[in-house]
Amino acid sequence: MSEFDDVILRGIQSRKYGQLVEMFGTNDVLPLWIADMEFATPAPIRLAMQHVVAQPIQGYDLQYPQWEFSISDWYQSQYAVNIDQRWLHYVPGVIKAIVLAILSLTKPDDSVLTFSPIYDPYPNLVNTSGRQLVQSKLIQKDGTFAIDWQDFEDKVQTCRAFLFCSPNNPGGVVWDKDSLRRIAAICKASNTLVIADEIHGDLTLFPQQHIPFFSVSQEASENCIVLSSANKTFNMPGVQGGFAIVPNPDLRERFYGFLDGCYLAETNTLQQAAMVTAFLACREWHAQLKEYLAKNIEYVQQQMKLRCPKITTVYGGASYLLLLDATNLGLEPEQIKAFFIKKARLGLSPGSQYGPGCEYYMRLNVGCPRSMLVEAMDRLAKAYRELSHR
């Protein structure tokens, strides 16, 4: 038995369980939707946080020792890339930092490009910040998504920034070095800033390999803000916080100057302790997690082929979130959603929330003990048989 096989009871304070009626209209679903995992946060992180909380005076503290080193050492060990510690800055969270980058480095009514399908906060935050949303639709190909290069190059010409999810969410697409270099060259030529969200990068599964965007070329390093966090990887999203990597000194001065001048990047000792401990003391846990997730992904793919052949999987190699393509069920998007909720009794994220090109999909979170996944596949297979025999 692995520690990842332990079933942990979570209360309704957890959004995954506490919002079931709001999200699905019923409590009678197995929740496999929001992007946190059903695994215990690594023990060293919990101990480090307990040490912080146990201090009798919760006053103003200095920055946690070794926070810059923990990140640079992590990137060297995981990706064999060097980070100058001057490039680093705390941010209040990846999505918050994207908004702050847009506000500080673009102007009202500027156009901002994203791919589609894409993580649903992206379109919302672009529109709410007073910018114009432009989207380039990805192409489904060989069980994953690919870039429509002509469409991307045409649309990026008018855009001041490109919000780049790497790996892509949803679908877990791991972009190869040639694609990253091509994106860097196109965006540099069009004077389009690349804001790269790499929060799922550390969950890239073998044999794929995540490549940090800033490392692929000089064009990339001169024209990017890379954002990430330990929170997704080590299952502590409730802790919040993250970090930015900006190699270009002029861009760094503008962005970090804005953050510091507006007091928008202050963090707390709890966040710092959790991150440093994650990167320096939880590497074995991280390796074991990725092995477990890879087996869960493989299990779902096998189950779809064996028991639900009209439902296919779309997965590019990163994270615990894969897409189920229900196009061949012959149902409309709202009917697909109802099928999963009412017939299969599964609480999954509907693909429609990720934008054009994902309407017939459902996003499945496999970051859970195998026993939960077996139950989910049994429920889906039963509903699939009943649908097929109508």
Side-chain angles (χ1 to χ4, degrees):
M1 289 281 289
S2 162
E3 68 174 289
F4 302 110
D5 289 315
D6 295 339
V7 176
I8 300 171
L9 297 179
R10 301 174 69 177
I12 60 171
Q13 188 65 24
S14 159
R15 286 182 60 190
K16 185 180 283 184
Y17 291 83
Q19 287 187 307
L20 290 180
V21 172
E22 177 184 343
M23 297 300 297
F24 306 106
T26 176
N27 281 312
D28 187 26
V29 290
L30 189 63
L32 297 168
W33 61 290
I34 198 169
D36 66 14
M37 296 183 283
E38 297 295 307
F39 307 133
T41 304
I45 296 174
R46 289 181 279 127
L47 288 172
M49 294 171 67
Q50 289 167 13
H51 176 75
V52 172
V53 173
Q55 301 304 308
I57 298 177
Q58 294 292 320
Y60 294 113
D61 286 341
L62 298 172
Q63 287 189 342
Y64 206 81
Q66 293 188 299
W67 79 268
E68 298 106 327
F69 171 78
S70 72
I71 297 170
S72 61
D73 189 63
W74 177 261
Y75 272 75
Q76 178 59 45
S77 68
Q78 299 296 312
Y79 309 115
V81 299
N82 295 318
I83 290 179
D84 185 326
Q85 292 181 13
R86 293 175 299 178
W87 301 354
L88 299 171
H89 203 294
Y90 276 121
V91 294
V94 170
I95 290 299
K96 297 179 182 71
I98 291 173
V99 175
L100 295 173
I102 290 174
L103 292 176
S104 61
L105 300 170
T106 69
K107 298 176 181 178
D109 291 324
D110 278 351
S111 293
V112 176
L113 179 67
T114 78
F115 286 137
S116 180
I118 199 66
Y119 184 42
D120 48 304
Y122 279 27
N124 296 334
L125 65 85
V126 170
N127 291 325
T128 303
S129 64
R131 275 59 175 174
Q132 302 299 315
L133 176 67
V134 179
Q135 292 192 292
S136 179
K137 187 176 175 181
L138 297 171
I139 303 166
Q140 186 177 335
K141 182 180 180 182
D142 300 326
T144 186
F145 290 117
I147 298 169
D148 182 336
W149 287 106
Q150 188 62 59
D151 185 65
F152 174 76
E153 189 160 6
D154 288 346
K155 289 178 176 176
V156 79
Q157 302 303 319
T158 62
C159 295
R160 182 65 189 91
F162 169 46
L163 304 188
F164 181 35
C165 200
S166 178
N168 197 68
N169 175 22
V173 182
V174 180
W175 308 107
D176 61 31
K177 183 173 286 188
D178 288 343
S179 296
L180 294 174
R181 285 176 171 168
R182 190 170 179 181
I183 288 170
I186 292 170
C187 289
K188 181 71 172 177
S190 64
N191 195 33
T192 304
L193 174 66
V194 178
I195 304 172
D197 171 358
E198 299 191 356
I199 197 168
H200 290 282
D202 293 332
L203 290 169
T204 301
L205 308 182
F206 183 83
Q208 297 280 6
Q209 178 64 52
H210 171 69
I211 304 171
F213 183 77
F214 67 85
S215 70
V216 298
S217 68
Q218 184 173 347
E219 291 168 315
S221 67
E222 291 177 349
N223 187 45
C224 75
I225 293 172
V226 170
L227 302 168
S228 194
S229 171
N231 294 344
K232 278 285 188 286
T233 303
F234 297 95
N235 205 34
M236 50 181 188
V239 175
Q240 296 288 306
F243 57 90
I245 305 172
V246 183
N248 184 319
D250 295 331
L251 184 57
R252 196 162 63 237
E253 182 177 357
R254 292 170 61 200
F255 183 43
Y256 294 170
F258 175 79
L259 295 180
D260 293 337
C262 295
Y263 302 93
L264 292 169
E266 293 182 338
T267 183
N268 62 64
T269 307
L270 205 63
Q271 293 171 336
Q272 296 174 30
M275 183 190 73
V276 170
T277 305
F279 286 148
L280 293 182
C282 299
R283 297 186 184 185
E284 183 177 352
W285 184 94
H286 173 243
Q288 292 172 354
L289 169 71
K290 293 202 298 181
E291 291 179 3
Y292 196 92
L293 292 177
K295 291 176 182 177
N296 275 0
I297 293 287
E298 182 181 14
Y299 173 73
V300 170
Q301 291 173 330
Q302 291 174 343
Q303 289 293 299
M304 291 301 97
K305 290 179 181 178
L306 180 65
R307 305 171 74 182
C308 307
K310 290 185 179 181
I311 302 176
T312 58
T313 58
V314 178
Y315 183 69
S319 192
Y320 46 83
L321 306 168
L322 77 162
L323 288 170
L324 301 180
D325 181 356
T327 304
N328 293 330
L329 290 182
L331 304 175
E332 293 303 312
E334 284 301 312
Q335 293 175 312
I336 291 172
K337 183 179 177 181
F339 167 77
F340 276 88
I341 295 172
K342 297 179 180 179
K343 301 300 182 181
R345 294 185 297 122
L346 296 176
L348 277 57
S349 300
S352 55
Q353 75 184 50
Y354 304 109
C358 213
E359 294 85 354
Y360 292 85
Y361 298 70
M362 300 292 288
R363 193 186 76 169
L364 169 68
N365 179 343
V366 303
C368 62
R370 177 61 63 83
S371 60
M372 289 184 65
L373 209 51
V374 169
E375 172 65 21
M377 293 299 99
D378 287 345
R379 292 187 184 194
L380 182 54
K382 181 176 183 294
Y384 181 91
R385 290 195 303 272
E386 292 173 353
L387 179 67
S388 300
H389 293 152
R390 285 191 312 179

